[in-house]
Amino acid sequence: MNKEHIKPFTAGAVVGAIALSIVMFSTGWAVTSSTSHTNARKMSQDAVVENLAGICVAQFEGAADKDGKLDKLVQTESWKRGRYVSDQGWATMPGSESPTRDVAKVCAQRLAKMHG
């Protein structure tokens, strides 16, 4: 092969590699390490919140007048329900002094589904 045949091949390979990289990163086929760490952190936080929401529901189950409180929760505007759960103390985990906002939000969603 002479140099004249190699130049178009080399240029095509470079352009193809650049195009492939752009496609891979824009479609999510390739992920940087910081993105994977961020995704892993979010997934683990979500899993913890889901598990703690189960404890929150169990604490609701032990509440006095739980049926009345569930009715009041459902009557509360949806964006205020997490606050209602926190105020009842159900989102305060054993050994903790304060409620967890994300747990209260997920717990309120679960409790609202119980009502229906």
Side-chain angles (χ1 to χ4, degrees), residues 31-45:
V31 183
T32 63
S33 66
S34 66
T35 300
S36 67
H37 288 297
T38 301
N39 291 344
R41 188 175 306 114
K42 178 159 179 19
M43 287 172 59
S44 64
Q45 288 173 344

Side-chain angles (χ1 to χ4, degrees), residues 41-106:
R41 188 175 306 114
K42 178 159 179 19
M43 287 172 59
S44 64
Q45 288 173 344
D46 290 347
V48 168
V49 167
E50 286 294 323
N51 286 324
L52 293 178
I55 295 172
C56 177
V57 171
Q59 292 183 145
F60 158 78
E61 291 290 342
D65 188 28
K66 69 180 184 179
D67 292 331
K69 291 181 178 184
L70 184 58
D71 288 339
K72 185 168 182 179
L73 172 73
V74 173
Q75 293 169 3
T76 302
E77 294 175 82
S78 61
W79 59 277
K80 292 182 180 180
R81 290 178 181 171
R83 180 61 154 175
Y84 178 78
V85 168
S86 292
D87 291 346
Q88 297 301 314
W90 303 327
T92 303
M93 295 297 108
S96 181
E97 295 181 12
S98 60
T100 306
R101 188 186 71 196
D102 292 338
V103 172
K105 181 180 170 185
V106 173

